[in-house]
Amino acid sequence: MRLLIVLLLLPCLAVAAAEQSSQKVESITLLDTLTQGAMVRGQVNVKAGVEVLGRSLRIDDEGYFVFGLGRDAEPELTILIHHANGNTEKKTYSVLQREYDIQYVEGVASKYVSPPPEVSQRIANDAAMVKAARAESRPVSDYRKGFGWPVTGRISGVYGSQRVFNGVPKRPHYGLDIARPVGTPVVAPVEGLVTLAEPDLYYSGGTIIIDHGDGISSTFIHLSKIDVTKGQVVAKGDKIGEVGATGRVTGPHLDWRINWFEHRLDPALVLPPQPE
């Protein structure tokens, strides 16, 4: 009787095994939409390695990793997965392309199109400080804890927009501008380590950079007051400064930017809806 039952079950077991073997087991999972300006989180086997855009990513104890796609990211992205057995898997994904607001303005005075020569060295020094601060990358995953709004208010500028003055394309805008009066408190959107706190950079005025781990950093510019110092650890919601109109601006607002190393990301893509 037992032999008869086994014989009857054999075809069913064979079908189940065939179906299981035919199911594709993904070696990597991406948790965010691949679009220009996106911070992209993913997960792999903790023993695997991941390489994206020429960088080897840190894989944390749960297999999570992060990378970013810039404003002009190519339509296709290749990810290399280095498995523990020595094999390398190549996966190619489509990247959603975005359209940005481009404004053409003629008749602008030359002093506003290009800075005067006497400040060129100051601008270069400022850029070097900012680059060094963004290059820091602690092996932590603070960014996974979820971003909040550093300040709420009217959105006066968006990521990716660009102006062309007298036919000369200026650098695209890489931040999210939130208009608020001078003195409005600005808080850390997620915890991290302060890597730069400067009161007077030529373009950005009062500037703070916070490292959120694995190359993800936040930059806060045009601040009227800075309440943190370089090397300080801040928690989500801690006051870090106040809205201002310092640097080259037309009015008081916070310009908040997010980077993955040198790749500039869109803060709006990591935020929940703005509270009422």
Side-chain angles (χ1 to χ4, degrees), residues 64-140:
Y64 289 100
F65 61 84
V66 70
F67 64 92
L69 298 172
R71 175 186 184 270
D72 301 313
E74 297 292 331
E76 285 192 346
L77 175 73
T78 297
I79 298 179
L80 299 178
I81 307 157
H82 304 292
H83 295 286
N85 61 7
N87 294 334
T88 295
E89 182 181 1
K90 180 179 178 180
K91 298 181 77 72
T92 301
Y93 300 88
S94 296
V95 176
L96 182 64
Q97 304 291 285
R98 298 170 62 178
E99 293 185 3
Y100 301 105
D101 179 29
I102 309 296
Q103 299 178 355
Y104 295 86
V105 184
E106 299 294 332
V108 181
S110 60
K111 66 179 180 179
Y112 297 113
V113 177
S114 300
E118 59 267 23
V119 300
S120 59
Q121 187 57 54
R122 178 186 174 189
I123 292 172
N125 292 341
D126 290 352
M129 281 195 297
V130 169
K131 182 178 180 180
R134 287 176 175 160
E136 296 192 30
S137 176
R138 294 177 303 137
V140 299

Side-chain angles (χ1 to χ4, degrees), residues 12 26 49 57 90 111 171 173 185 191 197 209 239 259:
C12 297
E26 289 294 334
L57 308 184
K90 180 179 178 180
K111 66 179 180 179
R171 179 175 294 186
H173 183 54
E191 69 182 73
I209 296 180
K239 182 173 181 284
N259 274 56

Side-chain angles (χ1 to χ4, degrees), residues 8 21 29 48-49 61 81 83-84 91 97 99 101 106 124 134 147 159 172 183 188 251 255 266 270:
L8 291 173
S21 64
T29 301
D61 294 339
I81 307 157
H83 295 286
K91 298 181 77 72
Q97 304 291 285
E99 293 185 3
D101 179 29
E106 299 294 332
R134 287 176 175 160
F147 286 81
Y159 173 90
D255 184 342
D266 186 354
V270 305

Side-chain angles (χ1 to χ4, degrees), residues 6 12 15 37 52 71 83 85 93 109 139 162 174 177 214 218 246:
V6 170
C12 297
V15 170
V52 182
R71 175 186 184 270
H83 295 286
N85 61 7
Y93 300 88
Q162 185 178 26
Y174 291 112
D177 288 347
D214 293 340
S218 282
T246 57

Side-chain angles (χ1 to χ4, degrees), residues 3 11 17 42 49 72 86 89 106 113-114 164 187 216-217 254 269 271:
L3 178 61
D72 301 313
E89 182 181 1
E106 299 294 332
V113 177
S114 300
V164 180
V187 303
I216 300 294
S217 64
L254 173 68
L269 297 181
L271 282 171

Side-chain angles (χ1 to χ4, degrees), residues 166-179:
N166 302 340
V168 179
K170 305 307 293 180
R171 179 175 294 186
H173 183 54
Y174 291 112
L176 179 68
D177 288 347
I178 307 170

